[in-house]
Amino acid sequence: MTGRLQGKVTFVTGGASGLGAAIARRFVGEGASVLIADVDAAAGEALATELGGAARFVALDVRFEDQWLATFATCERIDVLVNNAGITTLGSIEDVTLEQFRHEFDIDVVGVFLGSKHVLPAMTTHGGSIINMSSLCGVRAQADLIAYNAAKAAVTHMTKSCALHFAQKGYGIRCNSIHPGAIHTDMIDKVMAQSDDPQALYAGFVATHPIGRLGKPEEVAAMAVYLASDESAFTTGAEFRVDGGSSI
Ligand SMILES: NC(=O)c1ccc[n+]([C@@H]2O[C@H](COP(=O)([O-])OP(=O)(O)OC[C@H]3O[C@@H](n4cnc5c(N)ncnc54)[C@H](O)[C@@H]3O)[C@@H](O)[C@H]2O)c1
């Protein structure tokens, strides 16, 4: 099936690499136009060039409200916002510093809050879909991911609060979260780089997925297409797991 997002104007944060780039590629393949928002201008511009006229890069650091306001001031209409930008800080309650914890929250939680809040003027007139990239770590805790667990749990619940508000207001805006298991992207490489024993960490990731491998970015992008499309019109406030059976 193609053209499932025909004519939709979409905005993907963290769209320059990993899951965001896979989502941007699929969205364009399904007929959408895509604004790729990221702090990595080189990778974002390169992807926009690869995707041709349907894609444009915008420099955005999701931590900063003034940047969101300036970016959305140039957007008359947005049908789909994917709050995907995120980082992962490895460490337990004993390891992680307050500064690291706050940094994780600034990107993974404050970024989602600001995007969901300030997109509304460009979305409420016609309705739309907000897709928040949480994680399996947002519903199941691990000892060595205190900051990431807390941040992604906040995203999971913020999604439901927004979904209820939008439904009560009759905005026609849906808000859902995606919960990937370990998907092989740059983020996994960055997490392994923080570990004393990266190979053991990787083997541990594989072992927690009954399917017996890590996921692929395209497998998460497929879920994003469903949630962005009108096929999911009766779906809001829900958690969508793409985790190779990890949560069974
Ligand atoms: N890869 C996984 O296994 C996995 C699993 C579950 C959830 N997730 C979530 O999926 C999302 C994407 O992860 P990924 O694996 O593609 O990571 P990635 O590191 O490959 O890509 C993240 C992107 O976000 C951008 N970014 C970082 N900070 C930013 C900021 N302040 N403002 C704007 N952009 C910023 C980066 O430049 C990068 O392009 C994250 O929210 C992550 O927590 C990933």
Side-chain angles (χ1 to χ4, degrees):
M1 210 192 306
T2 55
R4 292 163 70 194
L5 305 179
Q6 199 63 44
K8 290 198 188 290
V9 180
T10 69
F11 190 104
V12 183
T13 72
S17 74
L19 302 186
I23 290 168
R25 285 194 179 93
R26 260 313 292 281
F27 278 12
V28 168
E30 295 292 346
S33 63
V34 180
L35 287 157
I36 298 163
D38 207 292
V39 288
D40 187 342
E45 295 279 15
L47 180 60
T49 302
E50 173 199 318
L51 294 177
R56 184 162 66 84
F57 171 72
V58 286
L60 171 71
D61 189 324
V62 297
R63 295 174 294 169
F64 301 120
E65 189 165 37
D66 57 342
Q67 294 191 22
W68 277 107
L69 289 168
T71 302
F72 282 151
T74 66
C75 303
E76 258 178 46
R77 173 191 180 108
I78 296 172
D79 298 293
V80 178
L81 168 65
V82 185
N83 283 311
N84 164 78
I87 59 165
T88 306
T89 308
L90 199 61
S92 71
I93 185 72
E94 293 193 87
D95 308 321
V96 169
T97 64
L98 176 59
E99 191 184 16
Q100 288 175 311
F101 191 83
R102 285 204 165 122
H103 186 58
E104 175 87 49
F105 263 64
D106 272 347
I107 297 176
D108 288 27
V109 182
V110 174
V112 175
F113 169 78
L114 292 173
S116 305
K117 184 179 188 66
H118 293 307
V119 77
L120 295 179
M123 208 179 254
T124 46
T125 47
H126 51 88
S129 172
I130 298 176
I131 302 166
N132 293 330
M133 198 59 71
S134 179
S135 169
L136 184 58
C137 296
V139 287
R140 199 186 65 190
Q142 281 171 265
D144 61 350
L145 283 171
I146 179 75
Y148 190 65
N149 281 155
K152 291 302 186 181
V155 170
T156 306
H157 225 58
M158 185 161 35
T159 300
K160 296 178 196 306
S161 181
C162 286
L164 276 175
H165 177 73
F166 300 153
Q168 287 165 4
K169 287 283 185 178
Y171 288 158
I173 300 174
R174 298 172 293 103
C175 187
N176 294 286
S177 52
I178 299 181
H179 301 259
I183 312 294
H184 206 144
T185 64
D186 285 355
M187 176 173 274
I188 293 291
D189 295 330
K190 288 173 203 160
V191 172
M192 288 205 298
Q194 297 175 56
S195 169
D196 296 334
D197 190 348
Q199 295 314 317
L201 186 65
Y202 191 85
F205 284 146
V206 172
T208 58
H209 294 72
I211 278 183
R213 64 171 173 84
L214 268 57
K216 300 174 191 164
E218 299 73 28
E219 291 166 333
V220 178
M223 181 63 81
V225 169
Y226 169 68
L227 292 173
S229 77
D230 297 339
E231 296 157 33
S232 57
F234 197 52
T235 301
T236 197
E239 299 168 16
F240 289 84
R241 299 182 189 191
V242 184
D243 65 2
S246 293
S247 52
I248 297 170

